[in-house]
Amino acid sequence: MGDLFAWLLFFFILIGLVVMVVYQLICLADLEFDYINPYDSASRINKMVLPEFITQGVLCLLYLMTGHWFMSLLCVPYLYYNVTLYMRKQHLIDVTEIFNLLSWEKKQRLFKLGYLVLLLFISLFWTIYSALEDDEHTF
Protein backbone atom coordinates (compact mmCIF):
# COMPACT_ATOMS: atom_id res chain seq x y z
CA MET A 1 0.00 0.00 0.00
CA GLY A 2 2.91 2.33 0.70
CA ASP A 3 4.23 1.84 -2.82
CA LEU A 4 0.90 2.96 -4.26
CA PHE A 5 0.95 6.14 -2.17
CA ALA A 6 4.53 6.81 -3.25
CA TRP A 7 3.61 6.48 -6.92
CA LEU A 8 0.60 8.75 -6.41
CA LEU A 9 2.86 11.33 -4.77
CA PHE A 10 5.31 11.09 -7.69
CA PHE A 11 2.45 11.42 -10.15
CA PHE A 12 1.14 14.61 -8.55
CA ILE A 13 4.62 16.11 -8.27
CA LEU A 14 5.10 15.44 -11.98
CA ILE A 15 1.74 17.07 -12.70
CA GLY A 16 2.98 20.13 -10.79
CA LEU A 17 6.19 20.20 -12.83
CA VAL A 18 4.23 19.93 -16.07
CA VAL A 19 2.01 22.82 -14.98
CA MET A 20 5.08 24.97 -14.20
CA VAL A 21 6.67 24.31 -17.59
CA VAL A 22 3.38 24.87 -19.45
CA TYR A 23 2.94 28.16 -17.59
CA GLN A 24 6.39 29.26 -18.75
CA LEU A 25 5.54 28.25 -22.32
CA ILE A 26 2.31 30.23 -22.17
CA CYS A 27 4.20 33.30 -20.97
CA LEU A 28 6.65 32.93 -23.87
CA ALA A 29 3.81 32.47 -26.35
CA ASP A 30 2.05 35.55 -24.97
CA LEU A 31 5.27 37.48 -25.43
CA GLU A 32 5.68 36.19 -28.97
CA PHE A 33 2.17 37.30 -29.93
CA ASP A 34 2.65 40.63 -28.13
CA TYR A 35 -0.03 40.08 -25.49
CA ILE A 36 2.39 40.87 -22.69
CA ASN A 37 5.43 43.09 -22.38
CA PRO A 38 8.94 41.61 -22.02
CA TYR A 39 9.39 42.73 -18.42
CA ASP A 40 6.20 41.05 -17.18
CA SER A 41 6.92 37.90 -19.15
CA ALA A 42 10.48 37.62 -17.85
CA SER A 43 9.46 38.28 -14.26
CA ARG A 44 6.67 35.68 -14.40
CA ILE A 45 8.96 33.06 -15.88
CA ASN A 46 11.80 33.86 -13.48
CA LYS A 47 9.45 33.40 -10.52
CA MET A 48 8.73 29.84 -11.71
CA VAL A 49 12.29 28.71 -12.48
CA LEU A 50 13.59 28.05 -8.96
CA PRO A 51 10.42 26.29 -7.76
CA GLU A 52 10.67 24.07 -10.85
CA PHE A 53 14.32 23.26 -10.13
CA ILE A 54 13.65 22.56 -6.45
CA THR A 55 10.62 20.39 -7.22
CA GLN A 56 12.62 18.37 -9.74
CA GLY A 57 15.42 17.90 -7.21
CA VAL A 58 12.96 16.78 -4.54
CA LEU A 59 11.36 14.35 -6.98
CA CYS A 60 14.73 12.79 -7.84
CA LEU A 61 15.59 12.57 -4.14
CA LEU A 62 12.23 10.92 -3.37
CA TYR A 63 12.85 8.36 -6.10
CA LEU A 64 16.21 7.58 -4.51
CA MET A 65 14.82 7.39 -0.98
CA THR A 66 12.02 5.02 -1.96
CA GLY A 67 14.33 2.74 -3.94
CA HIS A 68 12.92 3.40 -7.40
CA TRP A 69 16.32 3.37 -9.07
CA PHE A 70 15.13 3.28 -12.67
CA MET A 71 13.00 6.40 -12.30
CA SER A 72 15.79 8.09 -10.39
CA LEU A 73 18.17 7.37 -13.25
CA LEU A 74 15.63 8.78 -15.69
CA CYS A 75 15.46 12.00 -13.65
CA VAL A 76 19.22 12.50 -13.45
CA PRO A 77 19.76 14.09 -16.92
CA TYR A 78 17.02 16.65 -16.32
CA LEU A 79 18.37 17.38 -12.85
CA TYR A 80 21.91 17.68 -14.22
CA TYR A 81 20.74 20.12 -16.87
CA ASN A 82 18.96 22.24 -14.26
CA VAL A 83 22.00 22.24 -11.96
CA THR A 84 24.37 23.26 -14.78
CA LEU A 85 22.02 26.08 -15.80
CA TYR A 86 21.93 27.27 -12.20
CA MET A 87 25.70 27.02 -11.72
CA ARG A 88 26.37 28.97 -14.92
CA LYS A 89 23.76 31.53 -13.83
CA GLN A 90 21.83 30.99 -17.06
CA HIS A 91 18.61 29.88 -15.40
CA LEU A 92 16.94 33.31 -15.40
CA ILE A 93 15.67 35.10 -18.48
CA ASP A 94 17.19 38.49 -19.18
CA VAL A 95 14.60 41.11 -20.07
CA THR A 96 16.85 42.81 -22.61
CA GLU A 97 17.68 39.57 -24.44
CA ILE A 98 14.31 37.86 -24.26
CA PHE A 99 13.38 38.51 -27.90
CA ASN A 100 16.75 37.27 -29.17
CA LEU A 101 16.47 34.04 -27.18
CA LEU A 102 12.73 33.50 -27.57
CA SER A 103 12.92 30.53 -29.94
CA TRP A 104 15.68 28.89 -27.86
CA GLU A 105 13.73 29.34 -24.63
CA LYS A 106 10.61 27.86 -26.21
CA LYS A 107 12.55 24.86 -27.55
CA GLN A 108 14.19 24.32 -24.18
CA ARG A 109 10.86 24.26 -22.40
CA LEU A 110 9.25 22.07 -25.06
CA PHE A 111 12.00 19.49 -24.56
CA LYS A 112 11.47 19.72 -20.81
CA LEU A 113 7.75 19.26 -21.32
CA GLY A 114 8.27 16.21 -23.53
CA TYR A 115 10.65 14.70 -20.99
CA LEU A 116 8.22 15.33 -18.14
CA VAL A 117 5.31 13.85 -20.09
CA LEU A 118 7.39 10.72 -20.66
CA LEU A 119 8.11 10.51 -16.93
CA LEU A 120 4.43 11.15 -16.24
CA PHE A 121 3.30 8.24 -18.41
CA ILE A 122 5.85 5.91 -16.82
CA SER A 123 4.73 7.05 -13.37
CA LEU A 124 1.08 6.55 -14.33
CA PHE A 125 1.86 3.03 -15.51
CA TRP A 126 3.59 2.17 -12.23
CA THR A 127 0.77 3.74 -10.23
CA ILE A 128 -1.78 1.53 -11.98
CA TYR A 129 0.49 -1.49 -11.69
CA SER A 130 0.96 -0.90 -7.94
CA ALA A 131 -2.79 -0.48 -7.44
CA LEU A 132 -3.50 -3.75 -9.24
CA GLU A 133 -0.74 -5.53 -7.34
CA ASP A 134 -2.10 -4.30 -4.00
CA ASP A 135 -5.56 -5.42 -5.07
CA GLU A 136 -4.29 -8.95 -5.76
CA HIS A 137 -2.69 -9.18 -2.32
CA THR A 138 -5.88 -8.26 -0.49
CA PHE A 139 -7.71 -11.37 -1.70
Side-chain angles (χ1 to χ4, degrees):
M1 190 63 116
D3 204 33
L4 176 63
F5 287 128
W7 283 111
L8 283 173
L9 176 68
F10 302 151
F11 180 76
F12 288 120
I13 289 174
L14 281 167
I15 292 287
L17 281 169
V18 166
V19 166
M20 287 183 212
V21 172
V22 167
Y23 178 76
Q24 293 173 23
L25 276 169
I26 289 172
C27 287
L28 289 172
D30 285 349
L31 178 67
E32 184 178 21
F33 294 116
D34 207 23
Y35 295 138
I36 191 171
N37 63 35
Y39 179 78
D40 287 340
S41 181
S43 67
R44 289 178 185 178
I45 292 171
N46 288 341
K47 286 179 188 175
M48 296 303 294
V49 169
L50 280 179
E52 174 199 346
F53 287 7
I54 291 169
T55 306
Q56 174 62 27
V58 166
L59 179 67
C60 191
L61 184 68
L62 284 173
Y63 281 139
L64 276 175
M65 287 175 27
T66 56
H68 297 99
W69 307 109
F70 179 71
M71 290 299 287
S72 179
L73 287 175
L74 283 178
C75 283
V76 167
Y78 184 44
L79 184 65
Y80 175 76
Y81 181 72
N82 286 343
V83 168
T84 55
L85 278 180
Y86 185 78
M87 293 302 216
R88 293 179 186 168
K89 300 195 185 318
Q90 296 175 343
H91 61 287
L92 297 178
I93 294 180
D94 185 19
V95 177
T96 59
E97 292 291 321
I98 195 166
F99 282 114
N100 296 336
L101 300 173
L102 187 62
S103 65
W104 168 251
E105 294 291 337
K106 281 176 55 179
K107 284 180 190 175
Q108 176 185 7
R109 280 160 180 81
L110 282 172
F111 279 119
K112 283 184 178 185
L113 183 63
Y115 195 73
L116 288 172
V117 166
L118 174 72
L119 289 176
L120 189 68
F121 281 127
I122 294 171
S123 179
L124 181 63
F125 168 77
W126 283 109
T127 302
I128 293 169
Y129 182 78
S130 294
L132 293 176
E133 189 176 272
D134 282 344
D135 190 41
E136 287 178 5
H137 290 305
T138 58
F139 290 117

